[in-house]
Amino acid sequence: MLDFTLTPEQSDLQGRARAFAVEEILPLAWYFDEQDQTPLRILRRAYEAGFTNTDIPKPYGGKGLGLLESAILTEEFAAACPGLATSIFDNSLGMEPLILSDNEPLKERYLPRILNDFKLICFATSEPTMGSDVSGIRCLAEPDGDDFILNGTKYWITNGGLADYMSIFATTDPKLQHKGIGAFLVEREWEGVLVGRPIPKMGQRCSNTVGLHFTNVRVPKENVIAPPGKGFVLAMKTFSRTRPIIGAFATGAARAALDYSIDYAKKRRAFGSRIADNQAIQFKLAEMYQKVETSRLLTWKGAWEADSGMDPTVTASIAKFYASEAAVEVLNDALQIFAGYGYTKMYPIEKLLRDVRLLRIYEGTSEIQRMIVAGHLLGSYEPSLPPLEDMALHREKDPETLDENTGVFRCRMCGYVHYGDEAPEACPYCFFPKSAFKQIE
Ligand SMILES: Cc1cc2nc3c(=O)[nH]c(=O)nc-3n(C[C@H](O)[C@H](O)[C@H](O)COP(=O)(O)OP(=O)(O)OC[C@H]3O[C@@H](n4cnc5c(N)ncnc54)[C@H](O)[C@@H]3O)c2cc1C
């Protein structure tokens, strides 16, 4: 059965998240964007209100909520500030490799700590020299007895400057590519861990982004999330589960832009009437709404697939690249509706446009998502119609009037359909020989 109704619990969560977004995030977002700072107190309040770490499974003391609940929460927070929403959700990204890991003792040690104390955990595959090509990781994890010694640099790490724990992807040998990559849980306080300065950014300035540098950092074997050779697949599985949430960031930000635009268009007057009375503005609003709704549907479908135990990879990619591109379009249209005021920092559109531009980049660019979807279409995708070469389209005879002994042959080159006991010596249209014909009926 197909049902888009939220459960009472989900509706309640949505209502509480919306109130939190409006009361706690919205009043501070523009100030902290200007300051280029992450207000840690908001992350703490989100934690205290039970909006973070919702996906920690019940056996470890967590709520064990699904990705759909994460999407619901994230849409609300992103409507207030996509940057803060990124930092609030980042614990789920950082924890996902641990949750998916086979290392039970590690989960039992760290997940309750993250749950019971206000602990942040970040996720790091990217480096100064690579982002899209995860198999190109250079950060070294050299075996030393049972332990590993980390040396190298991670870059672009969300919440890296605030996190207590880090899910670090590193390789035993860069030449091994994906076969050498493992994942390691590192603590910020360990000797040899260095946190870089916050990277100045165009948008999402309320979200902390830094480089991390490791010099001979000893990772005990107990802290191996995935052994070398298993880390690449773990990173990909993580992205499949977190990419729908990028769709939720996009949906929230685009929805906010739509709300602001409706409000503005009803009040702003030009040529003696409200600008909302112009069909050109109305059509813009209608298309913005269409994009918000489509983004949410794709996002929720990706989340639903993950929560139902299906592989969400393809839908997650579609949701990510559709919604993130749609959000940029929606924000551009919003800015056009606000015109001069939209271009100023005194109105909300300018910041939201800067914020949503990142959604097309992190957790795999739009190009990478297209590669994933195209790979699926040309590989394991199961078409619903028979192959073209088995279909008699341009028929000269009604199939129901055909004698059951009459053979139907189709020229594989031009599609000509021939009736008879055998294929013709040559196609009368394209002149290809008898061997080009396939009997289809
Ligand atoms: C604010 C911010 C926060 C981030 N947070 C994190 C984080 O918490 N953890 C983390 O690990 N990373 C993080 N990242 C890194 C992010 O995931 C990467 O920036 C992203 O994956 C793209 O990598 P890149 O910037 O190195 O671009 P590149 O990989 O160098 O790509 C450059 C361009 O080439 C295109 N391209 C590359 N390969 C192909 C191809 N085969 N076919 C077609 N086009 C291609 C890309 O799409 C892109 O347009 C963050 C980045 C930013 C900006």
Side-chain angles (χ1 to χ4, degrees):
M1 196 176 81
L2 201 58
D3 187 354
F4 295 106
T5 323
L6 297 183
T7 63
E9 293 77 18
Q10 289 165 339
S11 292
D12 175 62
L13 190 69
Q14 187 180 50
R16 286 189 291 116
R18 189 166 297 176
F20 183 84
V22 172
E23 289 160 21
E24 303 276 358
I25 299 179
L26 205 54
L28 295 177
W30 273 260
Y31 172 76
F32 281 101
D33 173 72
E34 225 22 59
Q35 301 301 310
D36 208 349
Q37 271 177 23
T38 310
L40 197 58
R41 66 177 191 262
I42 295 294
L43 271 53
R44 181 183 283 280
R45 282 182 205 157
Y47 163 77
E48 286 166 357
F51 294 137
T52 59
N53 310 323
T54 54
D55 41 357
I56 293 186
K58 286 184 178 160
Y60 309 97
K63 293 194 183 97
L65 295 184
L67 210 54
L68 186 55
E69 281 79 6
S70 292
I72 291 168
L73 286 171
T74 302
E75 180 181 325
E76 298 308 323
F77 300 155
C81 177
L84 267 167
T86 291
S87 273
I88 291 172
F89 178 71
D90 197 60
N91 251 30
S92 291
L93 172 64
M95 265 189 311
E96 193 63 37
L98 183 59
I99 290 174
L100 293 173
S101 162
D102 296 331
N103 188 342
E104 277 306 317
L106 191 65
K107 293 189 209 190
E108 282 162 16
R109 201 144 50 92
Y110 282 95
L111 291 177
R113 286 192 208 172
I114 292 169
L115 192 67
N116 299 325
D117 294 326
F118 173 57
K119 297 283 184 198
L120 298 180
I121 177 166
C122 63
F123 173 96
T125 51
S126 303
E127 298 182 2
T129 53
M130 55 62 59
S132 304
D133 181 10
V134 175
S135 67
I137 281 175
R138 291 190 193 177
C139 183
L140 280 180
E142 289 169 302
D144 184 48
D146 285 341
D147 298 348
F148 287 86
I149 306 294
L150 279 190
N151 277 292
T153 304
K154 292 288 165 187
Y155 206 58
W156 310 116
I157 307 310
T158 300
N159 285 1
L162 310 170
D164 306 279
Y165 307 133
M166 305 161 172
S167 290
I168 303 295
F169 289 76
T171 179
T172 51
D173 178 357
K175 286 200 274 316
L176 292 176
Q177 297 259 298
H178 60 274
K179 291 186 187 145
I181 297 171
F184 308 88
L185 201 149
V186 173
E187 296 197 16
R188 178 199 170 102
E189 296 305 326
W190 286 355
E191 204 180 327
V193 177
L194 192 64
V195 175
R197 294 183 187 180
I199 300 168
K201 308 192 296 289
M202 165 185 174
Q204 299 223 1
R205 289 153 58 96
C206 293
S207 177
N208 172 268
T209 317
V210 298
L212 301 171
H213 189 67
F214 305 108
T215 310
N216 294 326
V217 175
R218 178 170 291 278
V219 183
K221 70 173 194 305
E222 294 79 17
N223 279 43
V224 175
I225 301 174
K230 304 270 188 203
F232 181 83
V233 172
L234 182 65
M236 296 304 123
K237 281 189 181 161
T238 298
F239 289 138
S240 294
R241 291 187 54 80
T242 53
R243 278 180 185 144
I245 300 304
I246 311 296
F249 290 128
T251 309
R255 193 191 79 198
L258 174 66
D259 287 2
Y260 295 136
S261 299
I262 294 169
D263 183 31
Y264 188 78
K266 282 179 170 173
K267 289 172 185 155
R268 178 73 176 173
R269 297 184 74 81
F271 298 98
S273 64
R274 307 178 315 165
I275 62 168
D277 296 332
N278 296 302
Q279 208 174 44
I281 300 287
Q282 292 169 6
F283 282 10
K284 269 198 178 61
L285 294 174
E287 285 173 17
M288 289 159 78
Y289 189 42
Q290 172 204 38
K291 286 170 188 165
V292 170
E293 289 287 296
T294 312
S295 297
R296 186 182 299 111
L297 287 175
L298 282 169
T299 297
W300 283 11
K301 180 164 187 277
W304 170 80
E305 284 180 7
D307 292 343
S308 311
M310 298 155 74
D311 178 359
T313 304
V314 175
T315 311
S317 284
I318 297 173
K320 186 189 186 279
F321 84 75
Y322 175 81
S324 58
E325 291 173 12
V328 174
E329 290 164 11
V330 168
L331 259 304
N332 257 323
D333 279 344
L335 201 144
Q336 201 63 21
I337 290 172
F338 277 76
Y341 288 115
Y343 200 65
T344 70
K345 286 186 177 290
M346 272 84 91
Y347 277 75
I349 305 302
E350 176 266 352
K351 171 181 175 295
L352 284 175
L353 180 55
R354 286 189 284 109
D355 285 352
V356 296
R357 190 57 185 82
L358 176 62
L359 306 179
R360 290 179 55 187
I361 297 171
Y362 63 6
E363 290 208 32
T365 62
S366 283
E367 290 76 18
I368 297 302
Q369 307 315 317
R370 283 179 169 80
M371 283 165 60
I372 292 169
V373 176
H376 163 68
L377 294 176
L378 300 175
S380 53
Y381 175 76
E382 287 180 16
S384 51
L385 294 174
L388 263 182
E389 66 171 32
D390 291 344
M391 290 166 71
L393 295 175
H394 187 66
R395 287 178 179 271
E396 287 163 1
K397 295 182 181 173
D398 180 345
E400 294 201 2
T401 63
L402 274 185
D403 176 341
E404 62 180 25
N405 295 321
T406 306
V408 180
F409 300 84
R410 181 182 182 276
C411 173
R412 272 188 284 236
M413 184 52 58
C414 72
Y416 162 62
V417 179
H418 172 85
Y419 301 90
D421 296 338
E422 56 181 312
E425 287 309 313
C427 176
Y429 285 90
C430 70
F431 307 107
F432 263 60
K434 193 174 190 173
S435 57
F437 280 81
K438 180 178 181 187
Q439 182 162 12
I440 55 176
E441 286 170 24

